[in-house]
Amino acid sequence: FSKSTLNRYYQMGTDALMNCLRDVLNEETGKSDYLMVDETCEVVAVEDKKTGETHYRKKYLWAFFDKVKKLVSYVYEKGSRSREVALKFLKDFCGCISTDGYVAYRIFDDAEKHPDITHVGCWVHARRYAIESLSSDHKNSLDIINTIAELFDVEYTCKVARLSDEERKMERLKKSVPVLTRLYAMVRTM
């Protein structure tokens, strides 16, 4: 075999193995009942098929994270940020997804179209908006940031105490619900 033929066979074998592993990983991640979903951009080299020139473009990579199993499925669909990427990955998903405020995720708020998916927001992303508003309304923004920190403290305490899922749920009901009630009242008055 020539070096180029051997390299081509090696590349074909590697591609086939990666496709198989990707499908298994995506299937296993999709079996979760809770996923954290996000998309991020990277600058990617793209070759112009007509001229052969390389251009750098902003493209998107999606991550579907199963925190319990510590599995992440990365999905790259030609760099698309379209909601179709998430819809395709989550088509058979049943459970809860946690996302940022990107408009593409709003489709999962429609319980008639997606009855098996509960869409929840992310407190880290919500806190980011309060941080960005510090310069315009320091006192109220700081109150919101500190109140969200109380929610994080409950989660940290549960983690350190190694509480079971049921114990964590009870702790959240006891401590997080009053914090959320207070936060809701603060935001409504603002």
Side-chain angles (χ1 to χ4, degrees):
F1 291 113
S2 70
K3 219 179 205 183
S4 63
T5 301
L6 187 59
N7 282 338
R8 187 169 44 89
Y9 286 152
Y10 178 79
Q11 185 64 47
M12 288 168 53
T14 303
D15 288 346
L17 180 60
M18 290 306 295
N19 287 337
C20 178
L21 290 174
R22 183 193 64 233
D23 292 345
V24 170
L25 177 63
N26 288 353
E27 183 180 326
E28 190 60 33
T29 304
K31 288 180 185 175
S32 173
D33 61 359
Y34 172 70
L35 290 176
M36 299 167 81
V37 182
D38 203 1
E39 78 294 333
T40 188
C41 67
E42 291 294 330
V43 176
V44 177
V46 179
E47 185 178 325
D48 185 318
K49 292 182 182 182
K50 291 180 182 176
T51 65
E53 293 180 21
T54 300
H55 301 280
Y56 292 90
R57 304 275 188 262
K58 186 162 84 169
K59 300 288 184 171
Y60 288 86
L61 175 71
W62 294 72
F64 300 86
F65 177 47
D66 177 344
K67 192 172 183 174
V68 175
K69 295 178 194 167
K70 295 182 173 51
L71 291 176
V72 180
S73 286
Y74 293 102
V75 177
Y76 182 82
E77 293 282 339
K78 298 178 183 173
S80 174
R81 195 179 188 205
S82 165
R83 73 176 57 178
E84 299 305 316
V85 178
L87 282 169
K88 181 178 171 185
F89 188 90
L90 298 169
K91 71 179 181 331
D92 297 323
F93 180 76
C94 296
C96 184
I97 61 169
S98 172
T99 72
D100 61 15
Y102 176 44
V103 70
Y105 300 119
R106 288 190 190 154
I107 193 163
F108 298 109
D109 294 337
D110 187 339
E112 287 183 22
K113 287 184 181 176
H114 301 282
D116 296 327
I117 296 178
T118 302
H119 179 212
V120 299
C122 169
W123 282 113
V124 172
H125 285 91
R127 180 183 61 184
R128 189 178 301 159
Y129 290 111
I131 291 169
E132 289 172 0
S133 68
L134 276 167
S135 61
S136 61
D137 189 354
H138 188 79
K139 183 194 177 316
N140 285 325
S141 299
L142 199 55
D143 287 346
I144 289 174
I145 293 166
N146 289 333
T147 305
I148 292 172
E150 291 178 46
L151 294 172
F152 293 156
D153 287 344
V154 172
E155 295 303 309
Y156 179 76
T157 302
C158 292
K159 182 178 181 178
V160 169
R162 296 177 187 240
L163 299 183
S164 69
D165 290 344
E166 189 59 35
E167 291 169 325
R168 186 178 292 237
K169 178 181 177 182
M170 297 310 296
E171 193 71 6
R172 285 175 176 162
L173 289 171
K174 186 170 85 178
K175 293 186 177 172
S176 295
V177 170
V179 173
L180 289 167
T181 303
R182 198 169 74 247
L183 182 60
Y184 178 75
M186 288 167 57
V187 171
R188 278 205 51 118
T189 59
M190 288 178 202

